[in-house]
Structure formats: C-alpha cells, structure tokens
C-alpha cells in the first residue's frame, strides 16, 4: 500500500508594524535575487532602512495621518516578509501597497492571507477608500495573489520601470472599500 502523503498544517499568518530593529532583516530580504526579480528595489543600507522605519508612526494611520507605513508578515511566528503602504492622498482616501516574502516563504499562500488581514484593518479602521498595487506583467504569482484578494486589474502602465536594464510594463490593480467589505 502506498504511504499516505503527510497533511501540511495550514500556516498561521500575522502582521505587526515594522520597527527600526527590523532593518537588518529587511536588508537581507531585499538582497535575495527572487525578491528583486520583478521589482526594482532602490539601494538602501541598513542605516537608511532603519532611519525610514524610525520616521514612521504606525498609530497615525488610524487618525488619517502619515504617508508611509510598513508591516512585517510573520508565518507561524517567524518574520518572513513585508508589506508597505504609501498614502498618496488622505483627502481622497488613496494609497498604494507593495509586498514581498523571503524566498523560503514563497509559494505557500502566505501573501494573500497577509493582504486579506491588512485590507480588513485598513477598510474597517481608516478612511482609505481605494488601494492600488502595481506589478510587472511577468509577475504571475503576484497577479494571482491580487486576483484572489479581490483587486481589479484596471490597465497597463506601459514602460513603467527599468529592471535589469530593460523597460518593463506593469499592470495597475486597485481594490475599493466597496469591493472588499461586502464580501466579509
Ligand atoms: C509574489 C509573491 C508576493 C506571491 O506571494 P506567495 O504567498 O508566494 O504566493 P503563492 O505562490 O502562494 O500563490 C500565488 C498564486 O500564484 C500562482 N502562481 C505562482 N507562480 C505562478 C506562475 N509562474 N504562473 C502562474 N501562476 C503562478 C500559485 O499557484 C498561486 O495560485 P493559487 O493560490 O490559485 O494556487 C511572493 O512570491 C513574493 O514575495 N515574491 C517576490 C517579491 C515580489 O515579486 N513581490 C511583488 C511585487 S509586485
């Protein structure tokens, strides 16, 4: 009789605000080839990353203030990636999200769970109305994550950024409060 395939326990995913002490971890993840494969990550030293995190005030988001926020994604208690949020207009409730997982955490369904949790918090507890995401047209895993979470692909951003010396088209995705909340 064939041996039964062991059942894999579902991964427990959680988020917490990123702290200045996370800078070395972020620097390490940013240097991984798979993390930068589809997105141009600006050169940033540990000191730059630490200073950026030290400027952030995570609680301000709930008061409709601040323009840059970052969270650490944890899987079964271990830090495995990040989500950033750049608020482009509080007046109009607009923000843009970005994310990445360390190589060993990719392909396990973690990012969709993390985004679901964050979107619930953002749409229930902040005045944000529309959250955008952009991704390279070759980044199929990221597109699938956005589809699963309920983003709509709204268009193509031609020749949007330079990656490895090549200009790359991106897709623009967005999710509205009105898309997300009725499904919960
Ligand atoms: C892209 C990324 C966020 C995806 O998150 P993830 O948790 O690893 O996502 P998963 O691989 O578990 O799942 C994504 C879905 O895409 C699918 N997928 C993965 N690679 C694929 C490919 N090459 N072609 C088609 N579908 C693919 C998976 O099958 C899965 O679909 P399913 O849930 O229907 O089975 C993550 O891999 C990552 O951080 N990559 C490096 C950084 C990055 O690209 N960030 C995003 C920049 S926009």
């Amino acid at each position: 009789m064939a041996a039964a395939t062991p059942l894999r326990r579902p991964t427990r995913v959680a988020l917490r605000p990123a702290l200045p002490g996370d800078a070395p971890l972020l620097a390490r993840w940013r240097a991984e080839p798979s993390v930068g494969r589809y997105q141009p990550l600006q050169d940033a030293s540990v000191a730059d990353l630490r200073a950026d995190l030290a400027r952030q005030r995570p609680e301000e988001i709930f008061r409709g203030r601040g323009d840059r926020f970052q969270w650490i994604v944890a899987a079964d208690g271990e830090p495995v990636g990040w989500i950033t949020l750049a608020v482009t207009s509080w007046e109009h409730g607009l923000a843009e999200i970005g994310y990445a997982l360390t190589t060993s955490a990719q392909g396990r369904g973690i990012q969709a769970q993390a985004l679901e949790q964050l979107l619930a918090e953002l749409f229930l507890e902040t005045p944000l109305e529309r959250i955008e995401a952009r991704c390279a047209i070759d980044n199929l895993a990221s597109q699938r994550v956005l589809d699963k979470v309920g983003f709509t692909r709204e268009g193509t951003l031609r020749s949007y950024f330079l990656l490895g010396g090549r200009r790359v088209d991106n897709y623009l995705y967005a999710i509205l409060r009105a898309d997300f909340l009725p499904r919960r």
Side-chain angles (χ1 to χ4, degrees):
M1 200 167 71
T5 315
L7 279 178
R8 193 165 178 170
R9 198 167 44 85
T11 307
R12 192 168 37 87
V13 176
L15 288 171
R16 64 163 174 81
L19 301 167
D22 293 313
L25 201 52
L26 290 169
R28 212 173 335 123
W29 293 335
R30 289 166 65 96
E32 294 176 18
S34 80
V35 172
R37 183 166 171 211
Y38 295 114
Q39 56 182 351
L41 294 168
Q42 278 177 348
D43 280 343
S45 65
V46 171
D48 295 336
L49 295 168
R50 198 189 303 278
D52 180 35
L53 292 167
R55 274 193 295 273
Q56 295 181 26
R57 297 281 170 270
E59 67 292 347
E60 291 215 315
I61 199 165
F62 303 110
R63 300 191 202 113
R65 291 208 298 250
D67 57 5
R68 213 181 127 65
F69 302 91
Q70 187 157 9
W71 292 264
I72 296 293
V73 179
D76 292 332
E78 287 301 313
V80 293
W82 77 77
I83 302 181
T84 55
L85 188 82
V87 177
T88 45
S89 167
W90 278 114
E91 183 188 357
H92 300 288
L94 304 180
E96 180 174 343
I97 210 160
Y99 45 80
L101 295 174
T102 186
T103 312
S104 60
Q106 295 170 15
R108 291 162 48 194
I110 292 171
Q111 195 67 67
Q113 286 188 66
L115 284 178
E116 284 266 353
Q117 288 179 25
L118 185 62
L119 291 172
E121 190 170 353
L122 295 176
F123 285 134
L124 288 169
E125 295 180 38
T126 81
L128 291 173
E129 288 289 338
R130 172 183 162 94
I131 295 173
E132 298 181 354
R134 283 145 227 253
C135 77
I137 60 167
D138 292 339
N139 196 346
L140 300 179
S142 185
Q143 290 161 40
R144 178 74 188 121
V145 164
L146 293 168
D147 284 341
K148 281 201 294 187
V149 174
F151 279 75
T152 297
R153 193 160 101 193
E154 296 187 338
T156 305
L157 303 165
R158 293 178 305 148
S159 193
Y160 188 67
F161 56 48
L162 197 57
L163 188 66
R166 205 168 60 87
R167 296 216 61 90
V168 173
D169 292 351
N170 272 221
Y171 289 131
L172 170 65
Y173 281 80
I175 187 166
L176 309 184
R177 167 193 297 274
D179 299 331
F180 187 81
L181 289 184
R183 307 199 332 252
R184 268 75 206 163

